[in-house]
Amino acid sequence: MNTTPSPQAGRTALITGARRGIGFSVAERLYQDGANIVLLDIDLAETQAAASQIDPSGKRVLALTADVSDITEVRRAGDQAATHNGSSDILVNNAGISPKHDGKSATIAAMSVDEWQRVLAINLTGTFLCSQACMEIMKARSWGRIINMSSQAGRTVSTIAGAHYAASKGGVIAFSRSLAAETGAFGITVNCIAPGRIMTPMSAEAGQAANEQYLKRIPVNRLGYPDDIAATVSFLASNEAGFITGATIDVNGGSFMN
Ligand code: NAD
């Protein structure tokens, strides 16, 4: 007999950027916690493959495509998710980009306005649009959890990420506080996670040498795993975390002690 508790049974979690990396681990973890899962990403075939990996029966998973920076696509995805299983009780704004050129971020001097705007549009505006699309249903149900993926780069000067990325991730933290204040009375909590270096396709783009340099500054002497972030999301999404809102949790192996 399976005696594993299912703290999120009957709830639905929508995770953006869920086909791989941190988003996929978060989807897997919240599925294990008992939630129905909506995986949202830009590539349908890959998002469907990720969904089937989590639940081959397809009963508790749904794969959707949307560009989180496009208001029409986000609203359509929100409607599709609601039709499928009624609601998004938990929203994890995880989709993000960190453009590199030959493994390096552009300097401010060399950064194109197009690249600046694309990073802000996906990382910051996307978080706003997806939150807006889900918050009314959460308010009506008097319960909700919104967890936004910031970054260590939004908390301190980054040696790897660009200024656009850092600005977007700092913006996510400020936006989350405003959203937390606006929705707190409705039983909704809004928190950020600021991961350090986590082993995913995104961090691999910076190359092994950059990651090895990073490792030297991490007191626990390892890079992070997507599951480290998924476990933090699982806690922030739980009933037990109901008195935590407007917070940013640093999951970085102790990097800030250096
Ligand atoms: P990743 O590149 O492996 O995954 C990001 C996912 O977002 C991809 O599946 C991608 O298709 C999706 N995505 C990109 N643009 C999108 C859009 N416009 N609409 C919908 N989906 C889109 O990256 P990751 O390392 O898993 O990062 C996940 C989140 O964690 C990001 O927000 C990232 O900034 C943040 N983060 C990562 C690290 C790290 O070291 N990996 C550190 C700090 C913060």
Side-chain angles (χ1 to χ4, degrees), residues 27-92:
E28 263 188 322
R29 176 59 193 256
L30 292 178
Y31 178 84
Q32 284 159 15
D33 289 347
N36 301 314
I37 303 296
V38 180
L39 298 96
L40 187 147
D41 212 304
I42 41 176
D43 181 298
L44 185 58
E46 286 192 26
T47 311
Q48 282 173 334
S52 335
Q53 206 178 319
I54 292 172
D55 178 6
S57 80
K59 285 187 188 143
R60 281 176 40 218
V61 294
L62 173 68
L64 295 178
T65 47
D67 175 342
V68 294
S69 67
D70 183 317
I71 187 166
T72 310
E73 291 188 20
V74 167
R75 287 190 179 158
R76 179 184 37 76
D79 291 345
Q80 283 175 298
T83 311
H84 179 74
N85 45 36
S87 171
S88 294
D89 308 284
I90 301 163
L91 168 66
V92 185

